[in-house]
Amino acid sequence: MIPRQAPREGQIGFLYLPPIRVQGISVAGEQTSVSVPEYDIVFDIGLCPRPVISSKILALSHTHMDHVAGLPYYFSQRFFQKLPTGRCYCPKPMAEHLQAMMRSWVALERQETPYEIIGMDPGDEVEIKPNTFLRAHASSHTIPSLAYSVVEKRKKLREEFSDLPQERVRQLRLSGEEISRMVEVSLVAYTGDTEPAPFLYHTDFVEARVVITECTFFDPEHQDKAKIGKHIHVEDLRPLLALWKAEHVVVVHASRRTMLSFARGRLNDVAGERAESVHMLMDFRANRKRLEQQSLEFDVEHPSEISTAENTEIG
Ligand SMILES: [Zn+2]
Ligand SMILES: [Zn+2]
């Protein structure tokens, strides 16, 4: 008998949550890497699935193997593809160890792969794009860890001036009056591996447009396992989903043993009314259906663009 072909691995989870895409692979204990191309960022690097290589900013939540194994490969592939050097932010206590690993690779390969590894403390922030900042939060896992938010800072006209005619606003500005104030918009927040901790109630998580959260355990009898491994259990999401204002919550880090239909049922239960805004990154079937629906709706709203697309030859 001819042996069966080896199973295909590494299918990429994909969600279009306008205006962003959330894509990657996340299976607890195996690999987690989730990118948001619009912000040029990837959270964790697992086994470095191909689509995340193009993100220049890598925010590493912690250094368990399933989140960091792809790091040297990520730097190396970016170099190989002539992309600018990737920049990895990580929990500060781990920066020197990651740098030591990269130095070992120089000896192993007899080749200098450029890399940038920068440690962060909770509360630190760095500008990753004009007006867009990566902020570190104190998560709580079995080893040093960080959660992250991507925050846009905008200048907004102060309310007392908002009804004035433009010319008057211009005069005030020229006269040196402080007419604007800074507002922050939390674009996306990523929990990384963590047990329930106060950072989950930080404004950046409460107000985030999209929250990407780990949830490793779904079985009611696995609450102890979640505690020991310092992970989120689906029951922990109940109060959070009631509080987070996110248009979309993306659940990652379910294990391979988790039955998707069971997990989905549990999520629907804890999400209640907002179940439709809660997605599982690795629920390929549901996400494909969702994308097809989005595509249909787009075609109805933009009939002219269908004909253009049909008339355009590929090549
Ligand atoms: Zn993990
Ligand atoms: Zn972990």
Side-chain angles (χ1 to χ4, degrees):
M1 207 206 291
I2 305 289
R4 273 211 293 174
Q5 199 178 323
R8 270 177 58 186
E9 281 232 320
Q11 197 179 345
I12 307 289
F14 180 85
L15 282 159
Y16 177 45
L17 312 172
I20 65 166
R21 289 164 288 170
V22 175
Q23 59 184 31
I25 303 184
S26 181
V27 181
E30 293 186 14
Q31 56 166 322
T32 288
S33 187
V34 184
S35 75
V36 180
E38 285 71 14
Y39 308 141
D40 208 12
I41 193 166
V42 52
F43 300 102
D44 291 330
I45 197 67
L47 297 180
C48 193
R50 209 172 163 69
V52 311
I53 293 168
S54 57
S55 297
K56 184 185 169 7
I57 303 294
L58 163 59
L60 209 59
S61 68
H62 67 299
T63 47
H64 276 150
M65 189 66 91
D66 55 322
H67 296 254
V68 75
L71 183 64
Y73 190 72
Y74 163 79
F75 285 128
S76 168
Q77 281 296 304
R78 284 190 63 92
F79 184 51
F80 182 63
Q81 294 180 19
K82 300 193 168 53
L83 296 166
T85 302
R87 186 179 302 154
C88 170
Y89 294 98
C90 67
K92 197 170 263 173
M94 297 314 193
E96 59 174 306
H97 303 300
L98 292 172
Q99 285 155 356
M101 176 181 69
M102 288 311 297
R103 280 197 299 278
S104 297
W105 276 104
V106 177
L108 290 165
E109 288 203 293
R110 301 281 157 94
Q111 180 178 302
E112 291 264 359
T113 296
Y115 62 89
E116 252 189 280
I117 295 168
I118 300 157
M120 285 180 102
D121 284 320
D124 284 355
E125 59 178 44
V126 287
E127 193 165 18
I128 55 170
K129 277 164 102 88
N131 306 322
T132 305
F133 294 78
L134 176 70
R135 185 174 287 152
H137 298 267
S139 60
S140 176
H141 196 39
T142 54
I143 55 174
S145 64
L146 291 174
Y148 294 97
S149 54
V150 175
V151 177
E152 192 185 327
K153 297 188 185 184
R154 293 179 190 160
K155 270 192 168 175
K156 208 179 159 194
L157 195 63
R158 283 162 56 172
E159 263 157 42
E160 57 264 45
F161 301 123
S162 60
D163 291 334
L164 295 181
Q166 263 192 347
E167 184 49 33
R168 180 78 189 116
V169 172
R170 204 178 72 90
Q171 284 170 354
L172 280 168
R173 189 174 51 222
L174 291 176
S175 72
E177 182 90 36
E178 190 50 74
I179 56 164
S180 56
R181 63 190 176 96
M182 270 300 190
V183 289
E184 293 192 358
V185 180
S186 179
L187 301 171
V188 59
Y190 175 71
T191 67
D193 285 11
T194 187
E195 65 184 343
F199 81 93
L200 296 165
Y201 298 86
H202 186 283
T203 318
D204 288 4
F205 278 79
V206 175
E207 304 277 343
R209 283 190 188 152
V210 173
V211 177
I212 304 169
T213 180
E214 79 123 306
C215 183
T216 311
F217 296 98
F218 294 85
D219 194 312
E221 289 175 7
H222 287 172
Q223 299 230 19
D224 285 352
K225 286 190 181 185
K227 278 208 177 69
I228 293 164
K230 294 201 173 184
H231 281 294
I232 288 177
H233 184 278
V234 72
E235 276 302 328
D236 301 323
L237 288 182
R238 198 185 287 275
L240 294 170
L241 290 173
L243 190 71
W244 290 342
K245 297 177 186 167
E247 283 166 55
H248 300 283
V249 173
V250 180
V251 173
V252 299
H253 210 266
S255 81
R256 190 173 287 276
R257 274 163 299 177
T258 305
M259 283 272 291
L260 268 183
S261 54
F262 176 70
R264 185 67 249 182
R266 299 283 291 129
L267 279 173
N268 289 349
D269 176 39
V270 299
E273 278 179 5
R274 64 167 308 175
E276 277 199 11
S277 68
V278 179
H279 315 279
M280 295 184 81
L281 181 65
M282 302 304 277
D283 190 346
F284 304 121
R285 197 179 302 170
N287 296 345
R288 196 180 310 121
K289 242 171 106 179
R290 188 171 177 279
L291 196 63
E292 280 165 11
Q293 187 60 35
Q294 284 175 311
S295 157
L296 280 176
E297 283 164 17
F298 182 88
D299 289 351
V300 171
E301 284 165 30
H302 305 81
S304 62
E305 292 184 36
I306 310 177
S307 55
T308 323
E310 279 168 0
N311 293 337
T312 311
E313 278 185 41
I314 298 163

